[in-house]
């Protein structure tokens, strides 16, 4: 399996973190937002949601959305609970993170870093 990621993306980091907890070795293709890699036809053809992270499976399937990728990796492991009420609570925190953390905080952090680090 291979992850297409970028260096400053928390969404990509979450996927790499879970993979490391599960001892799943991921090949890595690290792109640069600053260089415009995410606008390239090659990337857009591979990325179902047109954003990173993308998880490329060995059969050629490409998965997008960090939460969906986490779900894929966590299936059958202690990171995905068996009881449906616990699954629901897990999903609630994943949705909370995207809506309440990523949108107002992480995006701000990413754009601030880009401005500070821009040449
Ligand atoms: N909800 C998506 C958000 C993905 C996302 O916003 N990725 C950013 C990097 S963290 C990206 O690809 N930005 C480039 C762009 O929007 O063109 C997820 O969790 O995977």
């Amino acid at each position: 399996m291979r992850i297409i990621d970028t260096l400053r993306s928390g969404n990509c980091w979450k996927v790499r973190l879970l993979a490391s907890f599960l001892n799943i070795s991921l090949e890595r293709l690290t792109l640069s937002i600053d260089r415009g890699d995410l606008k390239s036809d090659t990337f857009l053809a591979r990325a179902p949601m047109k954003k990173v992270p993308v998880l490329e499976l060995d059969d050629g399937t490409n998965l997008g959305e960090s939460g969906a990728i986490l779900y894929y990796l966590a299936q059958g492991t202690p990171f995905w609970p068996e009881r449906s009420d616990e699954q629901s609570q897990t999903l609630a925190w994943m949705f909370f993170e995207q809506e309440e953390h990523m949108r107002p905080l992480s995006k701000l952090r990413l754009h601030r870093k880009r401005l500070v680090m821009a040449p």
Side-chain angles (χ1 to χ4, degrees):
M1 272 188 287
R2 180 166 82 159
I3 182 173
I4 305 178
D5 65 2
T6 58
L7 283 181
R8 294 194 293 270
S9 163
N11 288 310
C12 298
W13 176 77
K14 289 184 307 194
V15 172
R16 294 196 308 271
L17 185 67
L18 180 61
S20 76
F21 286 153
L22 295 171
N23 286 319
I24 295 172
S25 140
L26 291 180
E27 272 180 61
R28 223 172 137 180
L29 173 61
T30 300
L31 303 179
S32 162
I33 294 182
D34 303 317
R35 209 167 43 211
D37 295 348
L38 272 53
K39 305 283 179 225
S40 75
D41 291 342
T42 320
F43 172 73
L44 293 173
R46 286 174 171 161
M49 313 308 277
K50 311 302 177 206
K51 289 176 188 275
V52 290
V54 175
L55 186 70
E56 294 183 334
L57 307 185
D58 294 339
D59 70 359
T61 306
N62 288 354
L63 303 179
E65 278 295 326
S66 60
I69 296 171
L70 294 179
Y71 172 79
Y72 176 83
L73 294 175
Q75 286 294 307
T77 81
F79 286 91
W80 189 250
E82 285 178 15
R83 283 178 24 199
S84 53
D85 61 322
E86 291 177 349
Q87 291 175 2
S88 176
Q89 287 171 13
T90 305
L91 286 172
W93 280 111
M94 290 166 73
F95 293 137
F96 175 87
E97 179 269 328
Q98 287 284 295
E99 186 63 26
E100 305 294 337
H101 173 74
M102 189 196 89
R103 217 180 277 270
L105 291 177
S106 303
K107 280 202 168 178
L108 207 59
R109 172 186 154 271
L110 178 67
H111 291 304
R112 189 170 170 277
K113 287 224 177 235
R114 288 185 68 192
L115 286 176
V116 170
M117 295 174 77

